[in-house]
Amino acid sequence: MRYKGKTNTMPVLHNQVSNKVLKERMLAETEPRTTISFYKYFNIQDPVAFRHQWYQQFQALNVFGRVYIAKEGINAQISVPASNVDALRELIYSTDPRLDNLRLNIAIDDDGKSFWVLRMKVRDRVVADGIEDETFNPENTGQYLKAHEVNEMIDDPNTIFVDMRNHYEYEVGHFENALEVPSDTFREQLPMAVEMLQDQKDKNVVMYCTGGIRCEKASAYMLHNGFQNVYHVEGGVIEYARKAKEQGLPLRFKGKNFVFDNRMGERITDDTLAHCHQCGELCDTHTNCKNDGCHLLFIQCPSCAEKYEGCCSVECTEEMKLPEDEQRSRRAGREVSNKIFNKSRHRLSDGLLNSHK
């Protein structure tokens, strides 16, 4: 059934069951699930109608995950029962001619427990980029690079690989000698990348990200800012790793690929590049602080996880054990604007994370 465009007949659809119950249902499933990500920049006349149609159809296939829809396109990270993968693919391909044969990135290190609820949201942009220049065209992108081409270019001294993921993603894994654009957000990275490479416009610039959506837009932004030889890794790290393994190519991405679901990472190689943010031991396992008044994202080794009971500090460990009413009282009015540990802003002291409250 092809997408028909604007309609006023569909109700607003949303989840009506608690997250706790939904997670319990997912964990009780016996059929394995497949985790898939995909995106496409294309004009959608009526994102709300598009969202309503897809929500009903995805729900019928028991799809979980996040789908963002905007006038500029779609961005999705989902899981689907293995028996429904082909039906999902056919649904996506038949929605709109521009989605025919859309690349679906299949997760590499997948336990099928990545999501337990379907959330579809209409947004202004599928990727928040902060770009206000109306002359910018996200469809005017750099050239795709396949896995073997990535490996060929990574050793070229006239080529710069630019990581368009956040600092905490780069920390646990990246392409060899890739340039980090140290930031918490993609909207901050775009102008930073242009500034950092301003005197190297004569070189080949290769952008990469997790599944391709950020680096594709970044390649268009670099071209928009006068760079000539711009490339981006087709399908991002996910597709690169899959194809490199299928083709028996050396893996030039080292470590773990951070993913934005319950897994928090796909193991690409056995290399451990990061360190526990509490004790400094080699470790690349991200976790969220167990204290409901914090939920800081940070790296924690098994020893520190036991010592601090899954929390990021003694303070959080103690607060988590307080009566619920006192915990709520302490959380009231507390602003936790940055829930990600950043080495450049936070410090380690006596085995504790500090300055994040």
Side-chain angles (χ1 to χ4, degrees):
M1 176 179 173
R2 291 196 184 276
Y3 165 61
K4 299 296 186 181
K6 189 172 183 177
T7 176
N8 296 316
T9 61
M10 292 185 181
V12 175
L13 304 172
H14 57 85
N15 304 294
Q16 296 180 320
V17 183
S18 72
N19 276 333
K20 180 180 179 182
V21 171
L22 290 168
K23 188 173 184 179
E24 289 173 351
R25 289 179 184 176
M26 180 272 291
L27 293 173
E29 290 182 348
T30 56
E31 182 179 359
R33 282 180 167 269
T34 301
T35 301
I36 301 171
S37 62
F38 58 90
Y39 71 92
K40 177 72 173 180
Y41 289 109
F42 70 111
N43 182 261
I44 299 177
Q45 182 180 359
D46 188 343
V48 174
F50 190 105
R51 181 263 181 199
H52 289 344
Q53 177 177 317
W54 260 25
Y55 187 93
Q56 289 182 311
Q57 295 170 325
F58 277 41
Q59 195 172 51
L61 294 175
N62 199 20
V63 173
F64 299 154
R66 292 185 299 266
V67 183
Y68 299 137
I69 300 165
K71 287 188 175 182
E72 70 171 357
I74 55 175
N75 180 22
Q77 299 86 41
I78 61 173
S79 76
V80 60
S83 61
N84 288 343
V85 171
D86 289 340
L88 175 70
R89 182 180 290 109
E90 177 58 30
L91 164 62
I92 295 170
Y93 290 174
S94 64
T95 299
D96 186 291
R98 293 167 294 182
L99 298 180
D100 189 27
N101 290 318
L102 176 69
R103 182 186 62 252
L104 304 182
N105 291 330
I106 308 298
I108 301 167
D109 186 11
D110 186 18
D111 61 4
K113 308 299 183 183
S114 49
F115 301 101
W116 55 84
V117 63
L118 176 60
R119 301 190 190 281
M120 266 191 200
K121 297 183 179 181
V122 174
R123 290 184 159 186
D124 291 335
R125 305 277 180 89
V126 290
V127 177
D129 53 36
I131 301 172
E132 297 181 359
D133 186 346
E134 294 183 358
T135 66
F136 171 70
N137 180 10
E139 296 184 38
N140 181 30
T141 64
Q143 301 177 54
Y144 274 137
L145 289 182
K146 297 187 180 299
H148 73 277
E149 295 171 319
V150 170
N151 282 11
E152 290 169 3
M153 291 191 73
I154 205 166
D155 291 320
D156 181 357
N158 196 45
T159 298
I160 303 173
F161 273 67
V162 184
D163 195 314
M164 293 307 298
R165 302 171 306 151
N166 302 324
H167 66 88
Y168 56 91
E169 300 173 75
Y170 181 94
E171 186 175 3
V172 295
H174 47 263
F175 277 106
E176 296 173 17
N177 301 317
L179 176 67
E180 178 186 9
V181 185
S183 175
D184 290 344
T185 66
F186 182 64
R187 67 168 59 234
E188 294 174 347
Q189 283 184 313
L190 286 172
M192 288 175 65
V194 170
E195 182 179 356
M196 291 171 69
L197 296 172
Q198 197 60 232
D199 60 347
Q200 302 187 68
K201 286 189 173 182
D202 59 326
K203 292 190 175 182
N204 300 318
V205 176
V206 178
M207 326 294 288
Y208 74 89
C209 59
T210 306
I213 188 167
R214 286 177 285 179
C215 54
E216 182 161 324
K217 180 172 280 189
S219 73
Y221 190 73
M222 299 301 280
L223 288 170
H224 183 71
N225 280 276
F227 290 80
Q228 300 296 319
N229 305 311
V230 182
Y231 305 82
H232 55 116
V233 177
E234 184 175 13
V237 178
I238 296 174
E239 184 70 2
Y240 164 80
R242 173 172 294 280
K243 291 299 185 182
K245 290 179 179 180
E246 287 178 356
Q247 298 168 18
L249 302 173
L251 286 165
R252 305 301 297 272
F253 183 96
K254 302 299 182 183
K256 183 182 285 187
N257 183 33
F258 186 94
V259 291
F260 295 88
D261 58 50
N262 199 48
R263 297 169 298 154
M264 291 194 185
E266 292 182 333
R267 174 65 60 190
I268 306 300
T269 69
D270 292 334
D271 304 272
T272 302
L273 308 184
H275 297 81
C276 174
H277 289 155
Q278 291 176 306
C279 71
E281 288 296 315
L282 277 174
C283 177
D284 57 10
T285 302
H286 275 102
T287 188
N288 288 109
C289 179
K290 300 296 183 186
N291 178 18
D292 286 336
C294 179
H295 288 313
L296 181 81
L297 177 68
F298 68 109
I299 295 174
Q300 186 177 55
C301 70
S303 176
C304 288
E306 181 178 359
K307 181 178 180 181
Y308 300 108
E309 300 180 44
C311 291
C312 68
S313 65
V314 169
E315 180 184 15
C316 278
T317 304
E318 294 174 346
E319 183 173 295
M320 183 177 63
K321 296 176 181 178
L322 295 173
E324 182 60 33
D325 58 344
E326 187 171 345
Q327 289 188 47
R328 286 197 297 267
S329 176
R330 289 193 177 198
R331 293 198 296 268
R334 176 187 294 168
E335 182 179 352
V336 187
S337 58
N338 179 27
K339 296 183 179 180
I340 302 167
F341 178 77
N342 188 325
K343 290 186 295 184
S344 67
R345 290 200 300 268
H346 303 107
R347 61 185 177 84
L348 292 170
S349 177
D350 299 325
L352 308 180
L353 285 164
N354 293 283
S355 305
H356 69 276
K357 297 290 188 260

